[in-house]
Amino acid sequence: MKIVCLDAATLGGGDLSDFKSVGEFISYELTPKDEVISRIADAEVVMINKVIIDKEVIDQTNLKLILQLGTGVNNIDVEYANSKGIVVKNAAGYSTKSVLSHTFALLFAFLNQIPYYDQWSKDGFWTKSTMFTDFSRILHTLTGKRHGIIGLGVIGKEVAKVSQMFGSKICYYSTSGANFNNEYERVSLEELLKTCDVISIHAPLNDKTKNLLTKKELLLLKDEAILINVGRGGIINEADLAQVMNEKNIRVGLDVLEVEPMIKDHPLLSINNKENLIITPHVAWASQESIQNLIQIVFNNLKEFMENGK
């Protein structure tokens, strides 16, 4: 069995040596679109993260299994692949703790004024202080804050649980409309945006979440509200967000954008108050522990297919 990984670089140097034990294994760091077909022409299994496997690719290869190096499969024409007898297997749940950690890293960076006080100290202001502490910025805890969660899936539930431990009050909006959870208050999107001090997004990108937050919705946010998106880019309209951030005092932490890598002239790079924005380059999932979990899940998916064809 020939197994080809087309974008191993997206695993940050994760160890793929186990795959050599089950067949002929070839790994490429990245694969441009015009080389996808030639690299997997005689492969039975392809491993991909962001590479697109569409009808054109499927029709010119002899694949039996597509292993997605992640949860989302929007880069694969799953329906067409299945119609051709090709099995598609993704990896779920590998990054829950990592995304959970990053959510609160962004949140507490704002609540505890971490970027400001880090720079304040490095700029020498602490050395000039007349006392041991500083009150030029106000710090806050989560106690008594209303935390609204958009997308109460596996990660959303973990975020809710941890946030409650810090004393927050949880409510949620179901993006599918079918999620009912008796532990937390379910509210409309409008109510969540109007009433919450903290809002975090943990939803997939689909027809119901694309541009879920446009200027109309973002203007509903409370003054000094914190908005975190570790779900998917495209859920927030970023041009509208940049405009609203220039009009309202809201703080925003983003780990995902609609177009990745970030475009050179992105409107968020030109907002007036840059202290109100923290952007990280889609790394919430990418802890070393998560990458190890991911590789193990993908390897198990391959072994399962080899054993029973499913």
Side-chain angles (χ1 to χ4, degrees):
M1 176 175 287
K2 184 174 181 179
I3 308 156
V4 178
C5 179
L6 290 179
D7 48 1
T10 63
L11 297 176
D15 184 7
L16 297 174
S17 59
D18 282 352
F19 291 89
K20 297 177 182 178
S21 67
V22 293
E24 179 189 356
F25 179 65
I26 299 175
S27 179
Y28 299 96
E29 289 293 282
L30 294 171
T31 299
K33 183 178 181 180
D34 59 358
E35 293 185 30
V36 170
I37 293 173
S38 62
R39 288 184 174 182
I40 62 173
D42 59 348
E44 295 167 283
V45 179
V46 64
M47 296 165 54
I48 54 167
N49 192 333
K50 298 301 181 184
V51 171
I52 294 174
I53 303 295
D54 55 14
K55 183 178 183 296
E56 179 186 2
V57 173
I58 291 169
D59 283 342
Q60 296 186 64
T61 57
N62 295 297
L63 294 172
K64 294 181 179 178
L65 173 66
I66 301 172
L67 292 170
Q68 175 66 22
L69 301 171
T71 303
V73 291
N74 54 299
N75 56 318
I76 304 169
D77 190 333
V78 177
E79 185 176 351
Y80 189 71
N82 290 163
S83 74
K84 292 291 186 177
I86 301 170
V87 176
V88 178
K89 297 175 77 69
N90 70 336
Y94 65 92
S95 65
T96 300
K97 297 301 183 186
S98 186
V99 177
L100 172 68
S101 297
H102 203 79
T103 300
F104 285 96
L106 292 171
L107 176 55
F108 288 128
F110 286 121
L111 289 175
N112 291 75
Q113 298 286 351
I114 300 297
Y116 170 80
Y117 274 120
D118 173 61
Q119 195 61 50
W120 183 87
S121 299
K122 290 173 179 176
D123 285 345
F125 288 104
W126 201 8
T127 66
K128 303 171 187 176
S129 179
T130 58
M131 60 179 176
F132 72 96
T133 189
D134 181 76
F135 295 102
S136 58
R137 289 294 174 91
I138 299 172
L139 276 62
H140 293 281
T141 69
L142 270 173
T143 302
K145 300 291 188 297
R146 186 166 168 86
H147 185 164
I149 295 175
I150 297 177
L152 196 69
V154 173
I155 294 174
K157 288 176 184 175
E158 287 291 301
V159 170
K161 188 187 306 180
V162 171
S163 187
Q164 273 191 319
M165 292 173 61
F166 284 101
S168 73
K169 301 174 183 178
I170 301 294
C171 65
Y172 76 98
Y173 169 70
S174 172
T175 58
S176 68
N179 190 350
F180 294 91
N181 188 294
N182 294 328
E183 293 182 73
Y184 309 112
E185 179 188 6
R186 179 176 168 175
V187 297
S188 67
L189 180 62
E190 181 177 351
E191 181 178 348
L192 184 146
L193 297 173
K194 282 183 174 180
T195 64
C196 287
D197 305 288
V198 173
I199 298 163
S200 56
I201 300 173
H202 310 282
L205 181 65
N206 53 42
D207 291 341
K208 292 186 177 181
T209 60
K210 175 73 172 175
N211 281 320
L212 182 71
L213 302 187
T214 62
K215 184 177 181 180
K216 174 186 174 183
E217 290 78 27
L218 292 167
L219 285 172
L220 298 175
L221 292 173
K222 296 170 64 173
D223 188 52
E224 295 190 351
I226 298 173
L227 173 64
I228 306 291
N229 187 10
V230 291
R232 283 291 183 267
I235 294 177
I236 302 174
N237 184 296
E238 293 156 13
D240 287 358
L241 177 62
Q243 185 177 348
V244 171
M245 290 190 75
N246 282 333
E247 297 175 8
K248 296 192 66 169
N249 182 26
I250 60 172
R251 292 167 289 176
V252 180
L254 303 174
D255 185 60
V256 289
L257 295 176
E258 183 172 7
V259 176
E260 298 172 348
M262 189 178 196
I263 60 175
K264 187 175 181 180
D265 56 348
H266 199 289
L268 286 170
L269 294 175
S270 301
I271 63 169
N272 297 330
N273 189 353
K274 291 180 170 54
E275 278 191 15
N276 279 352
L277 177 65
I278 298 175
I279 302 177
T280 54
H282 205 142
V283 294
W285 69 278
S287 66
Q288 184 178 52
E289 294 81 2
S290 285
I291 291 172
Q292 290 170 345
N293 289 340
L294 170 59
I295 292 171
Q296 188 59 55
I297 291 171
V298 173
F299 186 65
N300 291 342
N301 283 343
L302 174 59
K303 288 198 299 182
E304 183 182 37
F305 174 80
M306 294 176 70
E307 290 169 3
N308 58 34
K310 296 181 181 179

